[in-house]
Amino acid sequence: QSALTQPASVSGSPGQSITISCTGTSSDVGGYNYVSWYQHHPGKAPKVMIYDVNNRPSGVSNRFSGSKSGNTASLTISGLQAEDEAEYYCSSYTSSNTLAVFGTGTKVTVL
Amino acid sequence: QVQLVESGGGVVQPGTSLTLSCVASGLTFSRHGMHWVRQTPGKGLEWVGVISDDGSNQYYADSVKGRFTISRDNSKNTLYLQVNSLSAEDTAVYYCAKDRNTRAVRGVITQWGYLEYWGQGALVTVSS
């Protein structure tokens, strides 16, 4: 099972919006609405930001939103803030024997 | 609040075995499935496997099937990951995570959830 494809890095200035893509196949991202996104600051516990493509857990800022089109899911961060600087990973259920797959990860830099 | 604390990591020799633990607090442990995820140096996250709330079902990534065993002791609020025949490729930070929303009927996954809370991880280094 190959990892989902994400851009290695995305950057933006404070207040701007950025979008991170996550490309898979019809066996994972395209086939199910089980895409989630995780924020990871180095040395800390990862944190879920979006689940089931476009749902925000309680306590997550509404600056974070998710969507999906075909085999590609996206995470948009609006009103970029310094605290958003982190690594972001998408994840999807997959119909392969390995039930879940993560993306390659995207480093978000706030300029 | 929910806390997950992994332990048992360290430097181990190739070919040996290791058991990681994850102690949970702030939740009714016996009511939730639990995952293990690892992050290899300089690389991304890899899902390792998940165990059902009562421990009766375990599911593994193909890459670890047959070498890794996930178990739990609900009386101790503790999750375990036993890793056998360790190699350099197993060098990673291992995270435990609480499941939310995954459902199974007679062992067949009918709904996939997400990893709601994570621990900070335990580093395992395989080196001679």
Side-chain angles (χ1 to χ4, degrees):
Chain A
Q1 176 65 49
S2 299
L4 307 175
T5 301
Q6 298 180 233
S9 62
V10 173
S11 62
S13 300
Q16 284 187 329
S17 292
I18 61 169
T19 297
I20 303 168
S21 61
C22 169
T23 301
T25 69
S26 58
S27 296
D28 38 65
V29 174
Y32 307 92
N33 289 324
Y34 294 140
V35 176
S36 49
W37 289 88
Y38 301 90
Q39 177 191 65
H40 190 199
H41 289 105
K44 291 195 164 185
K47 176 185 177 183
V48 61
M49 308 305 284
I50 295 288
Y51 69 94
D52 293 354
V53 176
N54 57 12
N55 290 279
R56 265 188 319 275
S58 173
V60 172
S61 170
N62 59 10
R63 297 185 299 105
F64 292 84
S65 61
S67 63
K68 190 184 84 168
S69 177
N71 294 338
T72 298
S74 299
L75 174 71
T76 298
I77 308 175
S78 58
L80 201 60
Q81 298 180 0
E83 68 206 49
D84 300 331
E85 189 163 289
E87 193 86 15
Y88 289 82
Y89 294 92
C90 61
S91 180
S92 175
Y93 174 78
T94 168
S95 58
S96 74
N97 290 332
T98 296
L99 298 180
V101 61
F102 281 93
T104 49
T106 298
K107 169 65 176 172
V108 169
T109 301
V110 181
L111 302 171
Chain B
Q1 73 275 22
V2 175
Q3 275 202 314
L4 301 172
V5 180
E6 302 93 340
S7 63
V11 180
V12 295
Q13 293 208 331
T16 61
S17 298
L18 182 74
T19 297
L20 300 174
S21 301
C22 167
V23 176
S25 59
L27 75 165
T28 305
F29 182 69
S30 61
R31 295 176 63 179
H32 303 284
M34 296 292 295
H35 298 259
W36 285 100
V37 175
R38 67 181 179 179
Q39 182 171 29
T40 50
K43 293 189 178 180
L45 300 173
E46 179 186 17
W47 182 77
V48 169
V50 62
I51 186 169
S52 59
D53 54 3
D54 63 358
S56 61
N57 291 292
Q58 306 90 38
Y59 308 84
Y60 299 94
D62 275 348
S63 59
V64 305
K65 203 171 292 183
R67 278 197 312 124
F68 287 25
T69 301
I70 302 175
S71 61
R72 62 192 297 162
D73 185 339
N74 286 345
S75 68
K76 296 182 179 179
N77 284 1
T78 302
L79 173 74
Y80 303 100
L81 177 67
Q82 180 179 342
V83 184
N84 297 326
S85 304
L86 282 157
S87 70
E89 288 67 41
D90 296 316
T91 293
V93 176
Y94 287 77
Y95 298 94
C96 63
K98 171 191 173 292
D99 179 81
R100 179 78 181 259
N101 290 351
T102 297
R103 300 286 182 266
V105 176
R106 289 187 291 277
V108 177
I109 299 289
T110 56
Q111 176 179 309
W112 190 251
Y114 60 98
L115 282 62
E116 186 179 24
Y117 296 102
W118 300 56
Q120 292 201 324
L123 175 61
V124 174
T125 302
V126 183
S127 174
S128 55

